[in-house]
Amino acid sequence: MESIVIYGGSFDPIHNGHLRIARAASMILNADVVFVPSKTPRWKTPEATPKQRLEMLQLALKRDGSPAFSIDLFEMKGKADTNYTIDLVRHMALTHKNTKLYLLIGADQVNSFPNWKDPEKICQLATPLYVSRPDVEIDDKVLQSFNMMRLPYEGSGPVSSTKVRNLQDVDVPLAVRDYIESNGIYYMSKLRSLVSERRLLHSVSVANLAFAIAAKNKVEDYRKAYIAGLLHDCGKEMDEETTMKIMKDRFPEYVSYPKWTYHQFVGAFLAETIFGIKDSAILDAICFHATGRAHMAPLSKIIYASDKIEPTRGFDSRRLMNACYRNYYVGFMAVLKANKEYLFSRGYTVDNESTKQCFDLYLGEDE
């Protein structure tokens, strides 16, 4: 008998955790997986439109899916204001006769399953299937009462749609990330409220370059490079009064620095307070992307270099980009040297202690 796993959800947006679970279910149960995006979820209000969520799902399955994956538009095309799981399961039972049906639900939905509409009837048509999560304590009585089945898989990762929407994680298919960028949804909408379109274009370019450098160098947690790159200039266009208040309140030790450096500190503040970024490596990379500093972490070196050589800068930086692709540290050193030579050729001098320490440590030269 053939088997099908029904995988419903808002997919706001679809992420790699969803895909990893679907692959595991397909392999372990020898089953096809049917994704069923909901039009109007009962327990949440999606940020993206139904059309956008469907398009991202289609892109994800086209680029990173499996021949065993497909999409059913039963709920998207339905006219009902409220979608009930029992209606979906009945639809699947009618359209896939003589097929073993599994209903994949989240671990956080298990305990509330008795409150769903017609839970007993659902179980007559499909076997509830769940993936355990370390942060969710499941009621064994519910599992026994409804004969729920645990999928023996724990590799979905910590990613969630909420974290993706807030830019706290970008563990999504690249096609989905590109879609978020080009359509200005989720975190892009928030970032657009902080910077101009010109600055946004630069930030996106830095983010994609930094991500590519980190990925090619197999840097641990390489996706953080995209987050830091996208937010590195989010404080660039903050008004002077607010900027000075943030500097005095949060970064008093750097108030004596020249004003052109302030945006990097403000950017780190905004990344933490507006986007909820708590990762110290990301915040540090933003905090010193313009000046540099002594003893920079790998992510900080990558963001510093990417900011200086991203393609929209208007000069031929291919040699420096290729150097970073081959070895991010060697590339960073080349970018740092080129930046120092450029500054000094224009008559600039080192006007802050962080840049001085950076040049002295990595280039071994005094001003």
Side-chain angles (χ1 to χ4, degrees):
M1 179 182 292
E2 293 185 358
S3 299
I4 286 179
V5 175
I6 306 168
Y7 198 174
S10 59
F11 302 115
D12 187 33
I14 180 79
H15 54 67
N16 286 328
H18 291 131
L19 297 178
R20 286 190 281 264
I21 289 174
R23 291 191 191 95
S26 179
M27 294 181 65
I28 293 171
L29 301 173
N30 191 26
D32 289 338
V33 178
V34 179
F35 290 80
V36 186
S38 57
K39 181 171 62 176
T40 54
R42 294 184 62 208
W43 309 113
K44 61 183 71 174
T45 301
E47 287 190 26
T49 66
K51 179 176 181 290
Q52 290 171 333
R53 290 185 286 113
L54 175 58
E55 288 175 344
M56 286 186 283
L57 178 58
Q58 290 170 330
L59 285 170
L61 298 196
K62 180 179 179 180
R63 305 283 181 85
D64 297 271
S66 158
F69 295 173
S70 63
I71 299 174
D72 189 298
L73 299 180
F74 171 75
E75 293 194 0
M76 280 287 185
K77 291 184 176 180
K79 295 182 180 179
D81 293 332
T82 303
N83 297 319
Y84 291 101
T85 301
I86 182 59
D87 298 323
L88 168 61
V89 174
R90 282 175 175 155
H91 159 74
M92 296 298 292
L94 286 173
T95 54
H96 298 83
K97 295 180 179 179
N98 299 317
T99 301
K100 172 66 176 176
L101 296 180
Y102 297 91
L103 176 66
L104 183 58
I105 65 175
D108 56 340
Q109 298 173 312
V110 170
N111 292 345
S112 64
F113 187 78
N115 300 321
W116 291 19
K117 182 180 179 182
D118 298 330
E120 293 84 4
K121 293 181 180 179
I122 292 175
C123 296
Q124 291 172 5
L125 299 172
T127 300
L129 178 71
Y130 73 96
V131 179
S132 61
R133 273 176 28 188
D135 60 331
V136 176
E137 185 174 348
I138 293 177
D139 188 344
D140 289 335
K141 293 181 180 179
V142 175
L143 299 181
Q144 295 172 5
S145 297
F146 295 96
N147 196 28
M148 291 188 175
M149 176 180 174
R150 175 180 170 272
L151 184 71
Y153 178 69
E154 299 178 353
S156 62
V159 62
S160 70
S161 293
T162 300
K163 288 182 178 180
V164 173
R165 293 194 299 271
N166 293 329
L167 195 60
Q168 294 162 7
D169 199 326
V170 287
D171 188 7
V172 298
L174 294 184
V176 172
R177 199 184 73 191
D178 291 344
Y179 186 96
I180 293 171
E181 284 180 8
S182 60
N183 287 272
I185 56 177
Y186 305 140
Y187 52 80
M188 291 299 295
S189 176
K190 194 179 296 184
L191 184 57
R192 182 172 274 114
S193 70
L194 296 172
V195 299
S196 63
E197 288 298 319
R198 180 173 175 273
R199 182 60 51 188
L200 186 64
L201 178 65
H202 164 71
S203 298
V204 169
S205 184
V206 171
N208 282 290
L209 176 59
F211 177 86
I213 292 171
K216 287 179 182 293
N217 281 268
K218 299 181 180 179
V219 174
E220 186 178 6
D221 295 329
Y222 62 92
R223 293 185 183 91
K224 293 180 182 180
Y226 180 86
I227 299 172
L230 195 61
L231 296 181
H232 81 287
D233 265 358
C234 67
K236 188 83 169 183
E237 296 171 358
M238 182 65 66
D239 66 87
E240 187 173 344
E241 181 179 353
T242 305
T243 293
M244 186 55 69
K245 184 178 187 310
I246 292 172
M247 290 299 298
K248 289 180 178 179
D249 290 346
R250 293 294 297 271
F251 305 97
E253 68 272 34
Y254 298 110
V255 170
S256 62
Y257 275 31
K259 290 183 178 180
W260 69 266
T261 69
Y262 286 1
H263 76 279
Q264 62 184 5
F265 304 110
V266 173
F269 171 80
L270 296 177
E272 183 175 3
T273 57
I274 293 181
F275 292 88
I277 305 299
K278 303 299 182 183
D279 188 278
S280 59
I282 294 175
L283 295 176
D284 191 70
I286 296 171
C287 215
F288 295 95
H289 76 267
T291 60
R293 68 182 301 183
H295 306 294
M296 296 169 72
L299 181 59
S300 295
K301 292 184 177 74
I302 290 171
I303 298 303
Y304 179 95
S306 299
D307 178 43
K308 304 297 187 292
I309 63 174
E310 60 87 7
T312 71
R313 283 290 192 182
F315 70 98
D316 188 355
S317 59
R318 286 175 295 180
R319 178 184 65 83
L320 293 172
M321 284 193 289
N322 287 332
C324 290
Y325 289 147
R326 290 191 296 269
N327 184 301
Y328 79 86
Y329 187 92
V330 174
F332 162 76
M333 294 286 286
V335 171
L336 190 67
K337 182 178 180 181
N339 189 48
K340 181 179 181 180
E341 291 174 351
Y342 171 79
L343 292 174
F344 284 17
S345 70
R346 293 297 185 94
Y348 296 112
T349 57
V350 176
D351 57 7
N352 68 88
E353 190 63 23
S354 292
T355 300
K356 181 180 186 303
Q357 292 176 0
C358 181
F359 285 169
D360 287 351
L361 176 65
Y362 293 110
L363 300 180
E365 302 171 5
D366 293 329
E367 180 187 348

